[in-house]
Amino acid sequence: MDFSSDVAELVTGLRAPPPQRSGTLVRLVGMRLETRGLMAPLGACCEVIDPTGHRVDAEVVGFHDQTLYLLPFSEPQGIGPGATVRVISHSARVALGPALLGRIIDGRGQPLDGLPPPVCNDVLALQGRPINPMERGGIHQVLDVGVKAINGMLTLGRGQRMGLIAGSGVGKSVLLGMMTRFTEADVVVIGLIGERGREVQAFIEESLGKEGLAKSVLVAAPANVSPVLRLKATHMAHVIAEYFRDQGKSVLLLVDSLTRVAHAQREIGLAVGEPPTAKGYPPSVFALLPTLIERAGVGRHGVGSITAIYTVLAEGDDGNDPIVDIARASLDGQVMLSRKLADAAHYPAIDLNGSISRVMQNLMDPQDQKLANRFRRLWSLYQQNQDLIQVGAYEAGSNPELDQAIRLRSQMEDFLRQGMHESEDAAATLHRLRELMG
């Protein structure tokens, strides 16, 4: 198939002539544009042209009778009644290739690093293509993330989907940066969605560095951009990861954060008239998140893998937040971060009581699994009796297992603590665990 014209349009910005007549802008409500006289499918990219020549790009997000609903990619300032609307493309496609490595792009594939647009020769649909579950490979290889608490207590596998769940300011981004630097992967794809704009450059300088950026692709859509662009950036990060996975690469996909993706879809859903449900989220949010998560994983017949780490913001430290609930149900495990541990300067602030890796039993030696479970048991037992111990109400010898938990407490804390610039491989972690619990 000849993709040359598509690539020219995507890379150089050339736009094909509209295949049909134009429509007319008839209404603007909030960020929603309404047009008549134009037929276009959902996801089509359109151009709104004011009589003065001012132009705004927008995407079709809904329709009712003969009216199309569009959301603009930027503020619709300067657009007035009677503006012309024409179709640029009927489907969202992106140009992909090795030239993306080392680059920072936005949700439309445009460079943010001041360099020329990457020259890519392969064109794929932004929404990707689902894999038959019977064709997927299994998760059999351990993924070394360089973080002791995760390697030892929450062992990850190549192709696993994991969530980092916590309230604001507990250390999600720092832990994500540690995993970015220390994880062994051929390609790293990072989606910074809906976060503060300053974090983009900070993430590159503090977490990636020049060597890390060379094998990475960073897709950024900060909080001040349109919800449509934030959602497109999320799909862009996933399709890039899929592209490299299908080449047999081991890909690490990091998305910060899944909650901001849900917020973007909420804005779009409410703009087109969807009814709000739990915490104001429309039904489309709960359909979108599992679809996104299922795009990660092991490729067809075990060829390539996408190990995905999604951060999830538990608003108000609410563990029953609807986005936290659906993330827990859809992911292959979660790492819960505790504000209580963070306040005690225990970093990373991983709460073992709420954390789990659902494939750990398939990856670890049964004896090491037994030691890890013993560690978790003692850690949990101490926390359950912490108040009694601290006020001196517990009598030594009453519970031999609790006595052991008290005796090993400081060593267990040292095992779980780690500096943000310190790395320890999985073999060293298991050796340390055997010494501590053996």
Side-chain angles (χ1 to χ4, degrees), residues 259-382:
T259 305
R260 304 303 184 196
V261 175
H263 289 176
Q265 182 61 39
R266 178 171 62 184
E267 292 179 50
I268 294 172
L270 295 178
V272 298
E274 277 192 84
T277 56
K279 274 202 171 181
Y281 290 107
S284 60
V285 171
F286 303 104
L288 169 69
L289 298 186
T291 304
L292 275 178
I293 292 169
E294 282 301 314
R295 294 179 67 174
V298 181
R300 284 184 174 85
H301 310 296
V303 176
S305 65
I306 301 173
T307 305
I309 309 293
Y310 298 94
T311 66
V312 184
L313 176 63
E315 297 184 1
D317 292 336
D318 182 10
N320 296 317
D321 180 88
I323 303 304
V324 174
D325 272 345
I326 195 169
R328 273 198 299 247
S330 304
L331 293 165
D332 300 323
Q334 69 270 348
V335 178
M336 299 290 293
L337 301 185
S338 163
R339 188 173 299 277
K340 183 177 179 181
L341 290 175
D343 290 343
H346 179 116
Y347 293 107
I350 296 175
D351 181 7
L352 293 182
N353 290 340
S355 303
I356 188 173
S357 171
R358 295 196 174 100
V359 300
M360 182 176 175
Q361 67 274 10
N362 301 328
L363 302 171
M364 288 188 76
D365 179 83
Q367 187 62 31
D368 291 333
Q369 175 81 37
K370 185 176 180 180
L371 294 177
N373 288 341
R374 178 69 176 169
F375 186 108
R376 292 171 65 101
R377 166 67 180 164
L378 295 179
W379 180 267
S380 177
L381 190 62
Y382 183 94

Side-chain angles (χ1 to χ4, degrees), residues 89-108:
S89 63
H90 280 78
S91 61
R93 292 173 293 172
V94 293
L96 303 172
L100 288 171
L101 293 175
R103 301 302 303 272
I104 303 138
I105 59 176
D106 65 9
R108 305 181 70 185

Side-chain angles (χ1 to χ4, degrees), residues 212-252:
L213 183 59
K215 67 171 186 178
S216 303
V217 184
L218 196 151
V219 185
N224 62 320
V225 305
S226 160
V228 178
L229 280 183
R230 278 178 264 151
L231 207 55
K232 288 178 81 70
T234 307
H235 288 296
M236 176 74 76
H238 282 76
V239 76
I240 292 171
E242 290 170 331
Y243 173 79
F244 286 107
R245 177 198 62 194
D246 293 342
Q247 293 183 344
K249 306 282 189 184
S250 172
V251 181
L252 177 65

